[in-house]
Amino acid sequence: MTATEPAPTTSRALDEIKIGGMGASRKRVEDNRFLRGRGHYVDDVVLPGMLHMEILRSPVAHARIVSIDASRAWDIPGVRLVLTGEMMATRNLAWMPTLSYDTQAVLATDKVRFQGQEVACVIADDPYIAKDACEAIEVEYEQLPVIVNPTQATAPDAPIIRDDKEGQADNVIFDWEVGDRAGTDRAFAEADHVSTIRMHYPRSHPSPLECCGSVADFDRATGKLTVYMTTQAPHIVRAAVALIAELPEHLIRIVSPDLGGGFGNKVPVYPGYVMSILASILLERPVKWIEDRSGNLISTGFGRDVYLEGEMALRRDGKILAVRMHTDSDHGAFFGDAQPSKFKIGLLHSTFSCYDIPTAHLTARGVYTNKAPGGVAYRCSFRVTEAMFFQERMMQAAADELGIDQAEFRRMNFVRDDDFPHRTPFGFLTDSGQYAKCLQVGLDAIDYEGFRREQAEAAKQGRLLGIGISCMTEPLGAGNSREYDILGIKMFDSAELRVHMTGKAILRTGAKSQGQGHETTWAQIVAHELGIPAEDIVVEEGDTDTAPFGMGTYASRSTPVAGAAVAMVSRKIRAKARKLAAHLLEVSEEDVEWELGRFYVRSAPDRGVTIQECAMAAYSNMPDGLEPGLEANAYYDPPNLTWPFGCYIVTVEVDPMTGVWDVLRVVAVDDCGVRINPMIVEGQIMGGLTEAYAMSSMQFITFDADGNCIGSNFMDYLLPTAWETPGYELHEVVTPCPHHPIGAKGIGECATVGGPAAFVNAVMDAVKQYGVRNVDMPLLPDRVYEAITQRHDVSGAPPIRTDA
Amino acid sequence: MYPSRFRYEAPRTIDEAIQLLHEGGAEAKVLAGGQSLVPLMKLRFAAPELLVDINNLPGLDHLDVAADGGIRVGALCRHRDLERSLDVAQAQPVMAAAAPLIADPVVRTRGTLVGSLCHADPQGDWAAVVTALGGHVVAQGPGGRRDIAITDFVTGPFQNVLAYDEVAVEAVLPPPRARVAGGFLKLERRVGDFATAGTAVALEIDGDRVVRAGIALTGVGSRTVDARAAADSLVGQGLTGEAIMRAADLAAEAAQPTSDHRGSAAYKRHVIHTFVTRILTRVSQTSEAAA
């Protein structure tokens, strides 16, 4: 070593993790106010002169309304308004359109069609008076026969539920099909073996901790209607109100403040919102409606309630030749599925997307019943939950029948890593994944071979152990405008970024967080693109007067669509900042290079300016001809859905004497592409697994033969507590999304979608020796016990069985 | 969730409370822990005109475990106090087994054993425990105090024998005459769920002979079931496999379950059989191990 060597030019790029950029497990900024009790929810909105609304609901499931006498309610001091269906009808608001091009009663006029349906509402000085007045309304019902399942709905002598609809001669909503019928028939004819299975995916409910509610405030002086409401999609609501109520769109402001969870429950427009709006217009006073728990569980958007007849054509060596499925879906009294596709049964035909299936055919029939409307909500991306549950239950049954190992059967039928892009049997295009690797990571983590030995040993002592696998790729994102729209509005999303002169910024998007942590992760994307520390960026959503037009948050679409818009708007800002940098550095733009947080001169890396200096220049020292300011917006229309992959493996022990089963271990391997905030992603997965465990073990809404809802309170509709919720072991594989600007895929719903089959498959594996092929969810102890002792499949379809 | 209008009083003495109840008549209700009454009021299934809050009354929050093993539980003694009491754990294994299974931690912090007995929910847990132990309730009214055996106290679903102006001031569990053993098992779908079926077994054992037995069932009838024949079949016996099976058979026979969304009647009966068998088998194994 002789002379001193010149110091190497070191990068001055910021440490991305330190500024809270991509990959940082940054603490959720919104939790600061939530944990301090300083969140601001709809029920926290108090306006001067505000009145309170309560809803009278039908106690019966199907009845003609003979008369409604509200005179005693009007007589109660403090009552300002009593609305009935008849009065709504005078304003043409007794019925409203649903997102599935059906109609739904706002307040019943002719008859009630499900227990809990809205019959009247009272607006009073306080909610106690309103409730008292509801009880004083006398309604005479003439009871009609009740339908609680598709078999009853399609019986020849079934009463017609929707006799309000012209030309509706039965209870069928749609008969729909997709796939290749002839090709599938040919494949079945050539099969060595045909595996068949029937099951019911029960009705469940998103049950967010915060129920629905609204505060409608119509100002006669300005003509402006402001509605604070629990909605996951404020702009869609604004459009709907403009179209339904025929109010001018620029005079409607929808504000969705902090939301206490959504899970899809807060996508539809509910009668309560509409009534509070009309009441505010009529009374010219703010009107608050806060739904109670029973109202939420008994009347708002539910999930599932789908019956499957599944068939699989198999070659002896385990190759799947074709899949045939028929579903009967129970939509309740109104077809109110909140889903944006032209497909009648949502994205159910995304089933079997991770397997290489030559041909498939699906027929789907939807029916009306005397149950609450809704149909896709509960963290499921438009019936993908059913699709993947049915798929993985069919996979298990087929493997067992062929005598092939569960893992091996999946592995041999997976789409291979080099087969992308891959056209699924029903026409979706998947673009990336490492399915076999994910499965192997899961098998290694759970010690698959070791558990099989342990299982065999335990069996010698009469103990029942089981292992269940569930693998799936699912379409997440609810986007691309070619194929998806809501009321004609295309499924893009948006972001607007304003960088202030000191380099701090405000970001607004058309999405709406309801617990997903947008305020944290969106700032991380901006930090990644611009090098502005995440803590210098405030994120705002949910106010249609300020947020750019977007389609809201559901179907795991925030990161795939709005998140992409955030990246794109940041890049627009960077492009303008580059011009400012060139001006400040007195070089031409082509000579300016970017590294995280700063521009520098290519030939002289020490000469640089930070993004903050560029921001200052945008307001104080802009070059001639350049518009001042550093703001931009971006609308993003994704080229495809994103396709994350999940592999969930569960082990259980079943008590043969009681049917009680305990979870031993849960291993989850998720590939959601690039993770923006790994901690939040893991939280999403754990929450999803907990909901999967809930649905498989305890959670359902059912009905008795009279249409009484069982599950309309938290005594009957069970949410698992920390006590019984199992622990989770999480693993990751990263296959970036090829078309997303930062390589991310949806993750919010994966574990809820893929998880249930893992739990059920594990219990079915444990009781396989009894010849049982299916027990419907939830796998309540009595159902498992019946399966073991009676050696038959157990249906959970309503009505519930009683002694009578 | 908005209850009907009601009057609320929080008296400072028991006499004042009794006077208020007397005035309120059938429309008055006592508020202790409020874990059943308040939800029922919010659902408007219950709409009392007067609530007499006894939480300010002195001398009702006791949990006394006497040297002879007798236990007195005051009307304001919370489930949590029972759950955390080492004295109870040593004196009465049945109570110690049941206490952590009552509802969930939030409810246990406020709810009371005596309130649970008064509420007389057919799926309640404490009534089964107190029945198995042969306890009684002490009621105080305008005419003074009286003891009411638990089997007489509960008269039907959500019904007790108290006069409208009586307050249940404590529950009393008699001192055992021999070594105590037993257990409490309940099938619930989730923590805090009501029992699909549950069983309390209380034994007193002298040497290898059962000298007193109580078996009571919850969730399998319109009120707590006192499986007297099952319990009596054990008295004077050792806990042999045969004796255990006979008691389990008789207990399952005593159950009067109905089918609902928690399970079929046959299943609930079977669970009772299994639970009685399991508790008695465990007691016999522990006794053998001790001997």
Side-chain angles (χ1 to χ4, degrees):
Chain A
M1 302 291 281
T2 51
T4 53
E5 291 175 69
T9 307
T10 54
S11 164
R12 297 195 194 166
L14 298 171
D15 180 331
E16 178 153 2
I17 299 299
K18 279 190 184 153
I19 63 164
M22 293 260 293
S25 282
R26 181 177 180 234
K27 282 186 184 160
R28 289 166 30 111
V29 295
E30 44 271 85
D31 286 350
N32 207 332
R33 65 177 189 279
F34 293 157
L35 296 177
R36 290 170 200 267
R38 300 301 297 269
H40 192 70
Y41 301 91
V42 166
D43 202 14
D44 294 319
V45 174
V46 176
L47 300 177
M50 188 173 77
L51 301 171
H52 298 264
M53 184 181 104
E54 286 285 315
I55 295 172
L56 176 69
R57 297 179 181 279
S58 169
V60 293
H62 198 194
R64 198 160 299 288
I65 296 176
V66 179
S67 65
I68 300 179
D69 180 0
S71 54
R72 282 181 52 229
W74 279 105
D75 288 345
I76 294 175
V79 169
R80 304 287 173 158
L81 181 65
V82 182
L83 284 175
T84 62
E86 206 176 315
M87 295 161 71
M88 297 295 279
T90 65
R91 298 238 161 195
N92 202 22
L93 281 175
W95 292 80
M96 64 177 178
T98 72
L99 296 176
S100 289
Y101 304 95
D102 192 8
T103 50
Q104 171 177 1
V106 176
L107 281 176
T109 48
D110 49 343
K111 60 180 191 177
V112 290
R113 293 174 170 83
F114 67 94
Q115 186 187 47
Q117 187 179 339
E118 299 81 358
V119 174
C121 76
V122 175
I123 294 90
D125 289 352
D126 72 45
Y128 294 88
I129 296 170
K131 188 76 185 170
D132 288 346
C134 281
E135 290 191 334
I137 298 171
E138 288 163 31
V139 186
E140 191 186 333
Y141 296 102
E142 178 194 323
Q143 300 241 23
L144 298 167
V146 170
I147 291 171
V148 296
N149 63 42
T151 308
Q152 294 172 343
T154 52
D157 56 346
I160 296 175
I161 294 171
R162 295 302 301 277
D163 49 0
D164 58 294
K165 291 177 76 177
E166 261 180 54
Q168 182 76 39
D170 55 22
N171 292 313
V172 174
I173 305 169
F174 59 79
D175 265 307
W176 190 76
E177 65 175 315
V178 63
D180 177 358
R181 181 191 290 267
T184 303
D185 287 349
R186 276 197 302 278
F188 271 82
E190 289 162 10
D192 293 330
H193 178 73
V194 173
S195 170
T196 64
I197 194 164
R198 300 165 73 103
M199 69 190 75
H200 176 225
Y201 201 135
R203 184 174 275 234
S204 55
H205 196 280
S207 53
L209 277 186
E210 179 202 31
C211 299
C212 297
S214 53
V215 179
D217 182 16
F218 179 67
D219 185 332
R220 176 68 66 197
T222 60
K224 183 149 185 173
L225 172 69
T226 303
V227 188
Y228 302 87
M229 62 187 283
T230 49
T231 177
Q232 298 173 222
H235 284 100
I236 298 180
V237 172
R238 187 181 69 184
V241 172
L243 296 171
I244 298 167
E246 294 177 1
L247 293 169
E249 196 172 359
H250 67 297
L251 291 177
I252 303 167
R253 177 184 173 210
I254 306 295
V255 183
S256 186
D258 284 335
L259 293 182
F263 309 103
N265 186 233
K266 293 168 181 170
V267 176
V269 174
Y270 294 119
Y273 302 142
V274 178
M275 289 184 271
S276 69
I277 291 170
L278 179 63
S280 181
I281 291 171
L282 292 175
L283 293 166
E284 298 183 25
R285 296 267 295 268
V287 173
K288 176 186 272 189
W289 165 61
I290 298 295
E291 184 178 65
D292 63 24
R293 179 61 59 190
S294 296
N296 183 253
L297 285 168
I298 207 170
S299 76
T300 64
F302 65 94
R304 343 294 184 225
D305 213 345
V306 180
Y307 299 75
L308 168 79
E309 292 166 35
E311 292 179 284
M312 205 185 274
L314 297 152
R315 210 164 61 195
R316 200 167 288 107
D317 64 2
K319 169 70 186 161
I320 303 169
L321 301 174
V323 169
R324 191 190 279 145
M325 294 166 85
H326 173 75
T327 59
D328 281 304
S329 45
D330 179 336
H331 299 261
F334 312 107
F335 183 28
D337 282 19
Q339 60 107 355
S341 73
K342 61 183 184 293
F343 316 120
K344 288 291 183 192
I345 193 73
L347 305 187
L348 190 77
H349 56 305
S350 63
T351 188
F352 287 95
S353 287
C354 70
Y355 297 112
D356 185 11
I357 312 279
T359 181
H361 187 243
L362 166 76
T363 53
R365 178 172 58 175
V367 299
Y368 291 118
T369 59
N370 292 117
K371 292 150 77 171
V376 294
Y378 198 4
R379 212 169 183 174
C380 78
S381 195
F382 318 128
R383 299 200 186 278
V384 169
T385 313
E386 295 93 302
M388 302 315 160
F389 180 74
F390 292 155
Q391 164 195 306
E392 286 306 286
R393 295 286 298 116
M394 288 171 70
M395 289 298 287
Q396 185 188 39
D400 283 347
E401 285 169 33
L402 290 173
I404 299 177
D405 175 76
Q406 289 292 332
E408 183 53 31
F409 181 59
R410 287 179 168 83
R411 193 182 291 122
M412 71 171 66
N413 284 291
F414 273 150
V415 173
R416 287 186 305 276
D417 299 358
D418 52 6
D419 280 349
F420 295 107
H422 173 79
R423 187 66 68 180
T424 78
F426 291 110
F428 289 92
L429 194 69
T430 57
D431 52 30
S432 58
Q434 302 175 69
Y435 305 161
K437 180 178 175 184
C438 289
L439 175 61
Q440 196 55 49
V441 169
L443 295 173
D444 290 346
I446 203 116
D447 184 16
Y448 188 65
E449 299 304 327
F451 183 83
R452 285 296 189 200
R453 284 192 297 275
E454 194 187 328
Q455 184 181 30
E457 278 304 309
K460 291 177 190 163
Q461 298 147 27
R463 290 170 56 210
L464 303 176
L465 303 192
I467 186 164
I469 302 173
S470 175
C471 297
M472 56 98 219
T473 186
E474 57 163 331
L476 289 184
N480 96 48
S481 59
R482 296 185 312 281
E483 287 165 315
Y484 303 97
D485 68 78
I486 290 183
L487 303 173
I489 308 165
K490 303 294 190 178
M491 299 298 290
F492 51 78
D493 224 292
S494 59
E496 180 205 72
L497 181 59
R498 298 180 178 185
V499 183
H500 310 314
M501 62 188 292
T502 56
K504 319 290 182 190
I506 180 167
L507 176 83
R508 294 184 170 116
T509 85
K512 174 57 202 165
S513 185
Q514 62 234 230
Q516 290 87 346
H518 292 182
E519 289 171 50
T520 308
T521 47
W522 290 164
Q524 292 184 249
I525 296 175
V526 177
H528 170 71
E529 296 290 343
L530 291 178
I532 298 175
E535 63 186 29
D536 288 351
I537 300 148
V538 67
V539 175
E540 227 183 64
E541 292 177 342
D543 183 339
T544 56
D545 268 8
T546 56
F549 193 99
M551 299 302 280
T553 292
Y554 40 85
S556 302
R557 69 186 299 277
S558 293
T559 293
V561 193
V566 173
M568 300 313 272
V569 78
S570 301
R571 290 175 193 181
K572 283 189 182 179
I573 293 286
R574 197 167 70 205
K576 181 164 184 188
R578 180 186 294 274
K579 293 184 197 301
L580 291 157
H583 170 65
L584 293 173
L585 294 167
E586 297 178 325
V587 294
S588 78
E589 211 183 318
E590 295 75 50
D591 294 331
V592 172
E593 289 286 334
W594 167 257
E595 62 186 358
L596 191 64
R598 84 190 266 272
F599 294 98
Y600 61 89
V601 179
R602 183 178 300 140
S603 54
D606 286 348
R607 279 186 62 210
V609 288
T610 63
I611 186 76
Q612 287 81 6
E613 287 164 332
C614 294
M616 181 62 81
Y619 298 90
S620 62
N621 179 17
M622 50 280 188
D624 291 343
L626 189 68
E627 210 179 340
L630 195 55
E631 303 181 0
N633 60 35
Y635 279 74
Y636 187 81
D637 184 7
N640 191 6
L641 298 151
T642 67
W643 293 88
F645 183 81
C647 169
Y648 308 102
I649 306 181
V650 172
T651 56
V652 299
E653 174 156 11
V654 178
D655 176 356
M657 289 301 287
T658 60
V660 171
W661 52 280
D662 290 312
V663 176
L664 303 175
R665 287 180 67 196
V666 181
V667 164
V669 185
D670 280 278
D671 178 356
C672 59
V674 175
R675 296 183 177 198
I676 302 162
N677 182 323
M679 180 195 71
I680 286 182
V681 169
E682 286 172 9
Q684 288 275 27
I685 295 166
M686 288 192 238
L689 287 170
T690 304
E691 289 180 336
Y693 168 69
M695 287 183 285
S696 62
S697 65
M698 64 179 75
Q699 195 170 76
F700 69 134
I701 286 182
T702 190
F703 296 81
D704 69 13
D706 296 326
N708 293 306
C709 175
I710 294 162
S712 64
N713 55 59
F714 279 162
M715 285 184 289
D716 289 325
Y717 191 74
L718 302 180
L719 272 56
T721 71
W723 185 262
E724 54 273 318
T725 300
Y728 307 121
E729 302 162 45
L730 308 185
H731 300 266
E732 72 173 308
V733 169
V734 176
T735 314
C737 175
H739 62 75
H740 188 278
I742 51 175
K745 303 179 181 182
I747 183 63
E749 295 160 325
C750 291
T752 319
V753 169
F759 290 97
V760 175
N761 284 347
V763 176
M764 290 299 106
D765 184 54
V767 303
K768 194 164 72 172
Q769 58 177 291
Y770 299 98
V772 182
R773 301 181 71 255
N774 185 60
V775 177
D776 280 343
M777 291 195 293
L779 300 180
L780 296 167
D782 65 304
R783 294 186 186 178
V784 176
Y785 180 75
E786 179 181 337
I788 292 173
T789 51
Q790 308 291 315
R791 294 172 180 262
H792 59 210
D793 290 6
V794 180
S795 165
I800 57 158
R801 289 178 289 179
T802 57
D803 296 323
Chain B
M1 296 288 177
Y2 299 101
S4 305
R5 184 173 291 274
F6 61 91
R7 179 181 153 210
Y8 171 86
E9 297 286 351
R12 296 276 168 181
T13 67
I14 184 84
D15 291 338
E16 208 185 325
I18 290 165
Q19 181 59 32
L20 283 162
L21 288 171
H22 186 77
E23 288 165 12
E27 298 305 324
K29 286 288 275 183
V30 170
L31 175 70
Q35 297 305 294
S36 300
L37 179 59
V38 172
L40 288 175
M41 288 174 67
K42 288 172 80 172
L43 289 164
R44 296 199 172 196
F45 292 153
E49 288 174 4
L50 169 64
L51 271 196
V52 180
D53 183 343
I54 62 168
N55 282 279
N56 291 327
L57 302 189
L60 290 183
D61 61 352
H62 57 279
L63 172 58
D64 299 332
V65 181
D68 63 4
I71 300 177
R72 306 183 83 88
V73 183
L76 292 176
C77 172
R78 316 289 162 174
H79 305 306
R80 184 188 57 182
D81 302 330
L82 290 150
E83 183 188 4
R84 295 186 180 178
S85 165
L86 288 176
D87 292 341
V88 168
Q90 279 166 4
Q92 266 311 348
V94 193
M95 292 194 84
L101 298 182
I102 306 298
D104 56 44
V106 180
V107 171
R108 289 203 291 276
T109 302
R110 290 198 73 90
T112 64
L113 178 145
V114 174
S116 166
L117 298 181
C118 293
H119 183 55
D121 190 319
Q123 291 174 298
D125 299 323
W126 280 130
V129 172
V130 176
T131 301
L133 288 168
H136 65 267
V137 173
V138 179
Q140 187 171 343
R145 290 192 169 207
R146 63 172 177 141
D147 292 351
I148 307 165
I150 186 69
T151 43
D152 297 328
F153 182 76
V154 178
T155 54
F158 306 101
Q159 286 165 356
N160 63 47
V161 76
L162 288 175
Y164 63 82
D165 54 3
E166 278 183 308
V167 178
V169 290
E170 66 176 356
V172 179
L173 304 164
R177 290 157 298 173
R179 184 172 67 82
V180 291
F184 181 82
L185 287 175
K186 100 170 165 179
L187 184 81
E188 56 182 0
R189 301 167 298 174
R190 188 206 64 177
V191 163
D193 188 22
F194 289 98
T196 298
T199 304
V201 178
L203 301 176
E204 290 172 25
I205 300 173
D206 191 1
D208 61 354
R209 303 259 149 206
V210 174
V211 294
R212 187 198 164 274
I215 298 177
L217 319 174
T218 183
V220 289
S222 58
R223 49 177 286 190
T224 304
V225 174
D226 179 12
R228 187 64 3 230
D232 287 349
S233 77
L234 293 168
V235 176
Q237 310 285 318
L239 284 178
T240 61
E242 198 184 328
I244 290 171
M245 198 47 61
R246 189 167 58 242
D249 286 347
L250 288 167
E253 247 174 65
Q256 301 145 14
T258 52
S259 298
D260 59 20
H261 59 290
R262 292 165 198 270
S264 68
Y267 173 72
K268 292 177 187 178
R269 208 182 284 280
H270 167 79
V271 169
I272 294 297
H273 192 280
T274 303
F275 282 178
V276 171
T277 307
R278 283 185 176 172
I279 295 170
L280 292 175
T281 303
R282 199 162 59 207
V283 170
S284 83
Q285 285 166 350
T286 316
S287 303
E288 273 171 32

